Amino acid sequence: MAIRDRLTDGSVQLTPSDLKVARALLADYPAAGLNTVAQLAALAGVSGPTVVRFVSRLGFERFPDFQKALLSEVQARMNSPLAMIDAGKAAAVPQEQIYREVIRSCVVMLEATSGMVPAADFETAARLVTDPALRLHFIGGRFSGYLAGMLWQHLRQLRADCQMVSDNWPDRVDSLIDIGRRDLIVAFDFRRYQVDTIQFVTAATERGAQVILFTDPWASPLAANAKVVLAAPVEGPSPFDTMVPALAQVEALIAAVTTRLSANSRARIAEIEALRSLSGITEDQPVDNPNKMPRRADQAGE
């Protein structure tokens, strides 16, 4: 477990002085912990021995051991597929075992994922995305953008005011003009964290938007200002990080939102189905009259 997680999940009992050190560390994580004892103590406004006791409370015998753990986190956080290929990860599993090993690995990671997010955090995420007063914006990176798009496609069937953030940078910048305290950004950002995603979401939070963040155990820089962080493991047998655990979290959120909005979403989905039926969108919906469009549910009987 990352040191950041141990400081925020309540598993370590901290004194008031320890909390000062923890806050200073989390405010500039992990860089603050890579300074000297004296520098971290000055940042926290405590004594050097207090920092040493804080590190000991986290289970480290010496301050250099604590820093070694932080450096390991940094290295893991920045691992690229190329670095893992060079480290031999691509050849670690015999070719004839890859299929079974990848499936087995996914099962193990899904089990771990179920315990990585506190129930209260998941409940907060579900409450936020079902709040009709909030407008939802979805954004992701080169691969995680597919998860953002999937969540958007589902949620826009269940509620209004859902939109995917444009891939075009000038359009993204222009869209900030309409973002404020009524907006919720649902962001996906996994290692190696994507600069344009971070820039847009950071700018949105500066304008008052709230953030739900899907990320990995090392946490995107966006975690510092996120209302909710949903972390999932990403390391599997392949040099490329897996999105299976994050996909499961997306599916869980879709299920929770569907249940929460069931009283109102049925009429919306029924109207969408009527529109699709007249347009022959799917094979089981033949076009009756291609020039006829259905009226909205609130226009019935006019």
Side-chain angles (χ1 to χ4, degrees), residues 144-165:
S144 61
Y146 293 104
L147 295 180
M150 176 181 172
L151 184 56
W152 164 65
Q153 290 280 16
H154 277 82
L155 292 192
R156 71 176 183 151
Q157 295 182 77
L158 299 171
R159 54 156 293 168
D161 290 328
C162 293
Q163 58 182 313
M164 194 75 185
V165 176

Side-chain angles (χ1 to χ4, degrees), residues 1 9 27 29 37 51 54 57 67 71 92 101 114 127-128 132 153 158 187 190-191 198 202 240 255 270 285 288 295:
M1 180 184 292
D9 67 2
Y29 188 89
V37 169
V51 171
F54 166 80
R57 209 178 299 274
Q67 291 188 313
L71 286 170
E101 179 58 23
S114 67
R127 175 179 55 79
L128 286 170
Q153 290 280 16
L158 299 171
F190 296 81
R191 70 174 188 183
I198 294 170
T202 299
F240 294 93
Q285 297 173 332
D288 178 29
R295 290 181 296 172

Side-chain angles (χ1 to χ4, degrees), residues 61-300:
E61 291 187 9
R62 303 176 306 133
F63 191 73
D65 296 330
F66 166 74
Q67 291 188 313
K68 185 177 179 180
L70 283 177
L71 286 170
S72 295
E73 288 185 22
V74 172
Q75 182 177 4
R77 196 171 184 253
M78 301 309 295
N79 264 345
S80 68
L82 180 60
M84 286 188 271
I85 289 173
D86 289 343
K89 192 167 188 178
V93 181
Q95 187 70 27
E96 66 274 11
Q97 297 178 19
I98 286 179
Y99 177 76
R100 288 176 178 265
E101 179 58 23
V102 169
I103 300 301
R104 186 203 65 79
S105 174
C106 287
V107 171
V108 172
M109 284 188 290
L110 286 171
E111 185 64 32
T113 304
S114 67
M116 287 182 66
V117 177
D121 287 356
F122 182 81
E123 178 66 17
T124 299
R127 175 179 55 79
L128 286 170
V129 298
T130 55
D131 186 346
L134 293 175
R135 299 175 298 200
L136 274 53
H137 308 263
F138 301 83
I139 186 173
R142 186 158 57 112
F143 291 107
S144 61
Y146 293 104
L147 295 180
M150 176 181 172
L151 184 56
W152 164 65
Q153 290 280 16
H154 277 82
L155 292 192
R156 71 176 183 151
Q157 295 182 77
L158 299 171
R159 54 156 293 168
D161 290 328
C162 293
Q163 58 182 313
M164 194 75 185
V165 176
S166 173
D167 287 333
N168 182 274
W169 179 243
D171 288 344
R172 283 188 181 185
V173 173
D174 290 350
S175 70
L176 289 168
I177 190 65
D178 296 318
I179 289 181
R181 296 186 180 279
R182 288 187 56 232
D183 296 279
L184 174 69
I185 313 296
V186 182
F188 291 75
D189 194 33
F190 296 81
R191 70 174 188 183
R192 298 171 291 166
Y193 314 104
Q194 198 156 313
V195 173
D196 59 341
T197 299
I198 294 170
Q199 289 176 337
F200 176 83
V201 177
T202 299
T205 59
E206 290 171 351
R207 298 180 68 85
Q210 299 182 78
V211 176
I212 293 174
L213 174 67
F214 288 82
T215 190
D216 53 57
W218 303 278
S220 159
L222 294 172
N225 295 314
K227 183 79 171 180
V228 180
V229 176
L230 303 177
V234 295
E235 286 193 300
S238 168
F240 294 93
D241 285 344
T242 176
M243 293 283 101
V244 170
L247 173 60
Q249 290 179 326
V250 167
E251 295 274 10
L253 187 58
I254 291 168
V257 172
T258 301
T259 300
R260 277 176 165 264
L261 294 178
S262 59
N264 300 317
S265 61
R266 189 187 184 285
R268 179 180 176 87
I269 293 174
E271 189 171 343
I272 290 173
E273 288 295 320
L275 288 164
R276 289 177 176 174
S277 180
L278 286 180
S279 300
I281 299 298
T282 57
E283 191 174 328
D284 62 335
Q285 297 173 332
V287 178
D288 178 29
N289 181 352
N291 297 317
K292 179 182 178 182
M293 294 296 289
R295 290 181 296 172
R296 296 202 320 264
D298 59 5
Q299 293 175 327

